[in-house]
Amino acid sequence: MPLDTMETGDTGTMNLFGTLREHAPAVEGVEHTKRYRTASYKPQEQTPDTLQGVTLPGVSSLARSMSGKRSGPPGQIGLKELSKWYEEQNLGSAKYTESEWKQSLKFVKDSGLTRKNMSSQARASAVKNRRRISSHLGKKGQEVQSNFVHRIEDIQQARKDLKRCHESCCDELKALQRRLEEAEEFRNSRFTWPMRVNEACLEFREKRIGIDRVMDQVEIELLKEKETVQSIADATVDKVITRTKDLVSRLQTQCESLQEDLDRKATSMKIDQNTKALPPSRALPVHYDNVQARPATAVELSHWRTNSKQLIAETNSMMENSVKLRKRLTRVCNKAEDEMLACCEQASNAVAKGLRRAQYARDAVCKLLEDVKYEIATNEKERTSLEELIAAQEIPLRLTTTQLKERTERPTGEETNDEVHQSLVEKVAELDAAVEALTNELNTNLYNQEELKNMEATLEEDFAIKKNTLLQETRCTKVRSFLNPETDTYVIKKMMTDEAFFDLMTR
């Protein structure tokens, strides 16, 4: 049927498909489309030369107008109108031979029969192709729907695998983060806090003064402890913690990648589900631009599957490494714990020994200082006694010399060198010898007293030094008591951040 005689909907359909390959050239490249054998049109036979001068039926305008009308029963052209048309065309006066009439009848009859037979054959071909096409396109539609179902199932399976992997990855990430927090807490309690305690001990011992500023075994053990703790932290725990933080970051990124892939596939599945359920309608627009054998942004199905499998494989590999790293963290922390306990115990024993030595030194100096002070007090009393005794000899000396003077007044002849005179002279000599001896004792006492006072000052200073040393050693012992694993973590954290509280708790 010519296009200009078709209805509007059919014309629109023919226009759509008539320009389809022009607007969507990719259709030409589609292979394995079904091929149909269709009827071909043959034009009407030419009028024989013998009838060239004959006015054959069908030349009237009434006949031509019939071609544009719907077919009806015979007798559609009225005789009156036809006669009038022939008269107007001045075709009614001509006469034809009987042979021409027969030839004309035969030509019209043969032409009609031929066209009817060709039409019947074409119609039979159309009916056959229509049925085949309807069946094939129906199957193709079912195939499209089936492919939608398979594609949606593929996406669902991929999402199921991704979701399972994502959940496992998130669980492993949480487990690794918990283990990392425990390791960092372990580092703070077994390294950061012991290092702070060690530094405090060294700072306290730097406050020693005078002769007590000695590089003793305690300080050597503290320096060894500092070096050992730092070495264990740097070489073992810190190294594993750094690797763990890196893996935590990578697992977080991997979880995000899995979630992004899940979201993409959820969106893709929703689009395919909505597209599958889209009802056929003439109201739908025709999108020629989307008829592409391979869109520019298209991804091969094998690559699509490979990408998800590769993402899952990478995640599984990371999770295996995470499990191994968690176990290694446990081993490293346990080993570091044993090494730290041995190291800290050795230093703590040295500090305790230093405290006992400081106590002994302070007590020894204190006892000696007390003895010296007692000796000074006793010497002071003795000096007083000596001075009093020396002063007491003045009166006897005056008396004796006066007695000797008085006896010189005896009359001449009576001035005998008698026993009295000898005893008085001896008494003066004895007094002199006694005062000399007492003076010597007093001088010795004064010298000793001066030396004792100097010693007292020395001992006072040494006692102050020893008291200060004992204070610092006591603070060392006190701060090291907080290395006990049973110490309240709140106290440790507050001491780590509050210097005033730290100072208060170590006094």
Side-chain angles (χ1 to χ4, degrees), residues 177-195 229 232-234 236-241 328-342 344 483 485 489 492-493 496:
Q177 286 175 328
R178 285 194 300 270
R179 191 66 192 89
L180 177 60
E181 290 175 359
E182 291 171 359
E184 288 180 329
E185 183 67 26
F186 171 83
R187 192 197 187 288
N188 289 335
S189 61
R190 293 295 181 272
F191 293 97
T192 305
W193 175 236
M195 284 296 292
V229 170
I232 295 173
D234 294 341
T236 57
V237 179
D238 281 355
K239 185 177 180 179
V240 181
I241 285 178
R328 184 177 179 186
L329 267 175
T330 301
R331 291 196 303 270
V332 167
C333 289
N334 290 339
K335 182 180 179 182
E337 173 78 7
D338 295 339
E339 293 176 353
M340 284 295 301
L341 286 175
C344 291
L483 291 175
T489 55
I492 293 177
K493 289 179 180 179
M496 287 281 288

Side-chain angles (χ1 to χ4, degrees), residues 55-56 58-64 77-92:
T55 303
L56 297 174
V59 300
S60 68
S61 60
L62 296 175
R64 289 194 300 272
I77 298 178
L79 180 58
K80 183 179 179 179
E81 291 82 0
L82 184 61
S83 297
K84 183 180 178 181
W85 183 86
Y86 271 94
E87 289 176 358
E88 290 175 353
Q89 300 299 320
N90 196 22
L91 298 174

Side-chain angles (χ1 to χ4, degrees), residues 463-475:
F463 180 62
I465 291 172
K466 297 297 186 286
K467 281 204 313 182
N468 175 69
T469 300
L470 180 59
L471 172 63
Q472 306 310 325
E473 298 289 4
T474 302
R475 296 192 73 181

Side-chain angles (χ1 to χ4, degrees), residues 62 234 288 305 323 355 402 456:
L62 296 175
D234 294 341
Y288 292 115
R305 291 195 177 101
V323 172
L355 175 64
T402 300
E456 179 188 30

Side-chain angles (χ1 to χ4, degrees), residues 33-38 128-130 132-137:
T33 56
K34 190 170 183 63
R35 303 301 178 183
Y36 301 97
R37 181 177 295 177
T38 60
K128 181 180 179 181
N129 282 332
R130 178 164 50 81
R132 292 176 64 194
I133 288 172
S134 295
S135 174
H136 179 68
L137 292 182

Side-chain angles (χ1 to χ4, degrees), residues 364-380:
V365 171
C366 181
K367 177 66 171 62
L368 182 57
L369 180 60
E370 290 174 351
D371 291 345
V372 168
K373 286 182 177 292
Y374 175 78
E375 185 64 26
I376 289 173
T378 304
N379 271 2
E380 189 68 29

Side-chain angles (χ1 to χ4, degrees), residues 284-501:
L284 296 174
V286 177
H287 301 280
Y288 292 115
D289 293 343
N290 296 105
V291 183
Q292 300 178 22
R294 180 178 175 80
T297 59
V299 177
E300 290 294 339
L301 187 59
S302 59
H303 291 170
W304 178 84
R305 291 195 177 101
T306 301
N307 289 340
S308 293
K309 290 180 180 179
Q310 184 175 356
L311 184 60
I312 291 173
E314 290 175 354
T315 305
N316 289 334
S317 177
M318 286 187 188
M319 289 192 291
E320 290 176 3
N321 291 337
S322 176
V323 172
K324 293 178 182 178
L325 197 55
R326 284 194 287 120
K327 292 180 180 178
R328 184 177 179 186
L329 267 175
T330 301
R331 291 196 303 270
V332 167
C333 289
N334 290 339
K335 182 180 179 182
E337 173 78 7
D338 295 339
E339 293 176 353
M340 284 295 301
L341 286 175
C343 173
C344 291
E345 182 179 4
Q346 187 172 352
S348 294
N349 290 337
V351 169
K353 186 176 180 180
L355 175 64
R356 291 193 298 271
R357 186 179 63 186
Q359 288 173 332
Y360 171 78
R362 182 207 60 178
D363 293 344
V365 171
C366 181
K367 177 66 171 62
L368 182 57
L369 180 60
E370 290 174 351
D371 291 345
V372 168
K373 286 182 177 292
Y374 175 78
E375 185 64 26
I376 289 173
T378 304
N379 271 2
E380 189 68 29
K381 293 178 182 179
E382 182 62 25
R383 180 183 65 80
T384 302
S385 298
L386 287 171
E387 287 177 346
E388 289 177 352
L389 184 57
I390 290 172
Q393 302 313 310
E394 180 181 353
I395 294 173
L397 179 61
R398 289 178 182 277
L399 173 62
T400 302
T401 56
T402 300
Q403 286 175 336
L404 286 170
K405 174 70 172 62
E406 289 295 327
R407 293 194 74 201
T408 61
E409 298 296 327
R410 288 178 301 169
T412 303
E414 292 296 323
E415 296 176 349
T416 59
N417 187 16
D418 54 17
E419 293 178 355
V420 174
H421 180 80
Q422 290 298 322
S423 63
L424 286 173
V425 172
E426 288 176 3
K427 184 177 181 180
V428 171
E430 290 293 340
L431 286 173
D432 179 62
V435 169
E436 182 182 7
L438 289 174
T439 300
N440 289 335
E441 291 292 343
L442 179 60
N443 289 334
T444 300
N445 179 281
L446 291 175
Y447 289 139
N448 284 333
Q449 193 73 342
E450 182 178 358
E451 292 297 326
L452 284 172
K453 293 293 288 184
N454 291 336
M455 182 56 64
E456 179 188 30
T458 298
L459 291 173
E460 282 286 0
E461 180 176 321
D462 198 26
F463 180 62
I465 291 172
K466 297 297 186 286
K467 281 204 313 182
N468 175 69
T469 300
L470 180 59
L471 172 63
Q472 306 310 325
E473 298 289 4
T474 302
R475 296 192 73 181
C476 285
T477 305
K478 179 69 174 177
V479 73
R480 295 192 73 84
S481 68
F482 292 103
L483 291 175
N484 191 321
E486 298 179 359
T487 304
D488 189 348
T489 55
Y490 169 80
V491 175
I492 293 177
K493 289 179 180 179
K494 189 167 179 62
M495 290 178 71
M496 287 281 288
T497 56
D498 190 338
E499 287 297 327
F501 184 73

